[in-house]
């Protein structure tokens, strides 16, 4: 057992500033609240999301909290069942994009030379391609699509800006003295990246993941809205697709299209604000004066 | 400058090459048989089936080797021959797309430029101004986090249904036919406004936030501190900060183009606005594969051209690129 340390560890300092920061608190609160709804919701609602359980186009009431759709399906039930896949696709797609982006960024930045040239070219090309349009093209030809596939597709196309940023940071860290020291003491390049360079960028990588998380949610919602999302299951984007296609606007069924879009905007917005908060916690220069 | 521009052009050429290759590959190597699907869709019209089967055997040409199919596809692309639409048979895909392009440009160009200018101005103004900053931050982030289609639906509902001041579908009233008159132009603008506004608002939030963050970084930079210690007026320091913050915002514009293009697609779908996005949706729903391929090609070309325009802007704004001091990206 280690004895009590005299100086305050960096962790304590981090937590101190983290709890003082209203952006971080607000962002985390909203995100976690929705996560709880996603986890608990499906057990609260007694309706099948696709079942015709009420009268058509019924406004919100005690039985149907968010009202019913044009077909008499329970909107609240669809909503809570759609939240789970949203977090799943966001986390998975975001994690994959962060992973690919950092791997390519580290390799390009640390190895340099021809490897860097090739990877940089690849990054720039994928950066220019409107990747979501590419996903549309691919999805249009697939007869069966799953949430996992959607997440993998999004992850495999959203990495370029991360690779670029990580490469730039690696380039500047590579020439630092502590990295030189590790190199002349015979450490292998892979180990240098993992034990010397990556820890110095950890805070940045956390923020990258949060941004990718939000981006993946938005991309998935767009695909679902166009009708090229997963062929089974429900998602918030798909709810909006049905609402628009079946005339929720002219029929004034506002309770059908407001909840899904609002939830996406709130969750992604909260993630972004969490990110600003984290940035301020990690970087004292940015703190409010 | 030559090196900078040359590098960029090489990237665009490579991107275009890859995009066309993907466009060619996907219908051929994906599971399922698009030709059969396409033929079964028009099975009611005998003359269409014959014409199409003839066309498909040539286009998908199972009688020629794969490499030749690929070369033929390239030749067709350069000749502007993107095949015949199924859904709007017997119109040619290229002419359908050309009719849709003006609507997409009319929506996108003003929305991108105005939101970028206004967002940058506002973001720079709000940065480090206590309450304005604390309002801009959540509102701006909420706006950028809003899915394009949802803001579109929301505006259509609020201004089109509840207040009933704007139309919510089409590019002009359907009792009108396109002609040059004040009444028609007014009608056109009336239909244009809501889709434009929803694109504008989402982008505005993003630019304002981006600028705000950049200004705060710049105000903490050494040169700002130095100016401050010399006793320079705050307005002057902000002016320099703004100029420096512009450069990443221009790069940001280039990076966002793909996202914006897709944002325009879903906005057009919501408002049934007859641009490329609306067309793409029709093509997907009707499994009109030539039209889907054509839409993708047009979107790629649009994004590449816009990227090039941004590069030119960057060269004009940043003198370092002209003197070859920035070789990188």
């Amino acid at each position: 057992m280690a004895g009590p340390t005299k100086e305050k560890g960096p962790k304590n300092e981090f937590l101190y500033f983290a709890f003082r920061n209203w952006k971080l608190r607000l962002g985390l609160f909203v995100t976690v609240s929705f996560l709880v709804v996603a986890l608990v919701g499906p057990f609260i609602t007694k309706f099948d999301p696709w079942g015709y359980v009420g009268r058509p186009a019924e406004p919100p009431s005690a039985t149907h909290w968010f009202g019913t759709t044009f077909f008499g399906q329970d909107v609240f039930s669809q909503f809570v069942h759609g939240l789970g896949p949203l977090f799943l696709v966001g986390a998975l797609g975001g994690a994959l994009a962060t992973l690919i982006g950092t791997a390519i960024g580290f390799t390009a930045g640390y190895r340099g030379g021809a490897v860097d040239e090739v990877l940089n070219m690849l990054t720039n090309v994928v950066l220019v391609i409107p990747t979501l349009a590419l996903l549309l093209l691919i999805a249009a030809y697939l007869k069966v699509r799953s949430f996992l596939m959607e997440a993998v597709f999004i992850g495999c196309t959203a990495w370029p800006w991360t690779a670029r940023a990580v490469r730039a940071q690696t380039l500047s860290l590579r020439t630092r003295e502590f990295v030189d020291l590790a190199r002349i003491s015979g450490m292998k390049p892979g180990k240098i990246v993992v034990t010397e360079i990556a820890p110095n960028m950890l805070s940045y990588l956390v923020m990258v993941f949060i941004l990718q998380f939000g981006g993946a949610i938005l991309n998935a919602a767009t695909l679902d809205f166009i009708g090229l999302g997963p062929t089974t299951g429900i998602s918030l984007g798909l709810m909006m697709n049905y609402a628009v296609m079946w005339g929720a606007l002219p029929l004034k069924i506002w309770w059908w299209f407001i909840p899904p879009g609002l939830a996406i905007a709130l969750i992604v917005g909260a993630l972004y604000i969490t990110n600003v908060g984290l940035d301020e916690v990690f970087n004292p220069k940015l703190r409010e004066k | 400058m030559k090196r900078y521009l040359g590098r960029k052009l090489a990237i665009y050429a490579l991107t275009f090459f890859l995009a066309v290759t993907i466009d060619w590959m996907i219908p051929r190597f994906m599971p399922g048989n698009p030709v059969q699907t396409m033929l079964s869709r028009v099975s009611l019209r005998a003359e269409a089936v014959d014409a199409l089967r003839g066309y498909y055997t040539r286009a998908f040409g199972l009688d020629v080797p794969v490499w030749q199919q690929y070369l033929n596809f390239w030749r067709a692309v350069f000749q502007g021959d993107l095949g015949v639409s199924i859904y709007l048979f017997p119109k040619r895909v290229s002419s359908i797309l050309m009719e849709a392009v003006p609507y997409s440009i009319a929506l996108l160009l003003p929305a991108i430029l105005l939101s970028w200018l206004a967002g940058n101005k506002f973001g720079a103004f709000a940065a480090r101004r206590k309450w304005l900053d604390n309002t801009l931050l959540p509102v701006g982030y909420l706006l950028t986090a809003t899915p394009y289609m949802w803001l579109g639906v929301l505006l259509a509902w609020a201004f089109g249904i509840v207040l009933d001041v704007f139309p919510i579908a089409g590019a002009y009233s359907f009792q009108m036919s396109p002609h040059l008159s004040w009444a028609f132009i007014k009608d056109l603008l009336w239909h244009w406004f809501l889709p434009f506004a929803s694109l504008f608002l989402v982008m505005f939030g993003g630019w304002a936030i981006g600028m705000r963050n950049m200004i705060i970084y710049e105000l903490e930079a050494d040169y700002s501190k130095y100016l401050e210690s010399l006793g320079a007026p705050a307005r002057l320091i902000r002016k320099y900060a703004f100029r420096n913050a512009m450069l990443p915002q221009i790069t940001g514009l280039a990076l966002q183009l793909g996202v914006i293009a897709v944002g325009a697609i879903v906005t057009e779908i919501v408002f049934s606005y007859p641009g490329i996005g609306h067309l793409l949706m029709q093509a997907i729903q009707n499994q009109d594969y030539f039209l889907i391929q054509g839409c993708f090609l047009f979107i790629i070309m649009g994004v590449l051209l816009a990227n090039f325009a941004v590069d030119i802007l960057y060269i004009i704004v940043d003198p370092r690129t002209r003197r070859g001091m920035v070789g990188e990206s």
Side-chain angles (χ1 to χ4, degrees), chain A residues 164, chain B residues 3-13 308 311 329:
Chain A
R164 212 182 205 199
Chain B
R3 180 151 175 263
Y4 175 81
L5 215 56
R7 217 186 149 83
K8 286 286 187 184
L9 283 176
I11 290 169
Y12 298 152
F308 187 64
D311 285 338
S329 58

Side-chain angles (χ1 to χ4, degrees), chain B residues 134-180:
Chain B
N134 281 347
T135 324
L136 169 72
L137 203 84
V139 174
Y141 274 112
L142 204 61
L143 274 179
T144 36
T146 304
Y148 281 94
M149 58 272 183
W150 188 65
L151 195 67
V153 171
L154 213 59
L155 289 183
W157 176 61
F159 294 98
I161 304 288
V162 177
L163 297 177
D164 200 17
V165 280
F166 284 105
I168 59 164
Y172 47 83
S173 309
F174 71 102
Q175 65 269 25
M176 279 190 156
S177 63
H179 62 285
L180 205 64

Side-chain angles (χ1 to χ4, degrees), chain A residues 33-50 65-67 74-88 147 233-236 239 255-256 259-260 263 267:
Chain A
S33 309
F34 273 106
L35 191 61
V36 169
V37 175
L39 291 174
V40 181
F43 299 104
I44 295 177
T45 170
K46 48 189 181 294
F47 299 112
D48 169 22
W50 293 116
W65 294 352
F66 287 2
D74 185 60
V75 176
F76 180 73
S77 174
Q78 295 197 338
F79 178 75
V80 292
H81 279 94
L83 272 177
L86 173 121
F87 278 104
L88 213 67
F147 281 108
I234 190 152
S235 65
L236 300 188
M239 284 175 75
W255 53 87
W256 193 0
I267 294 170

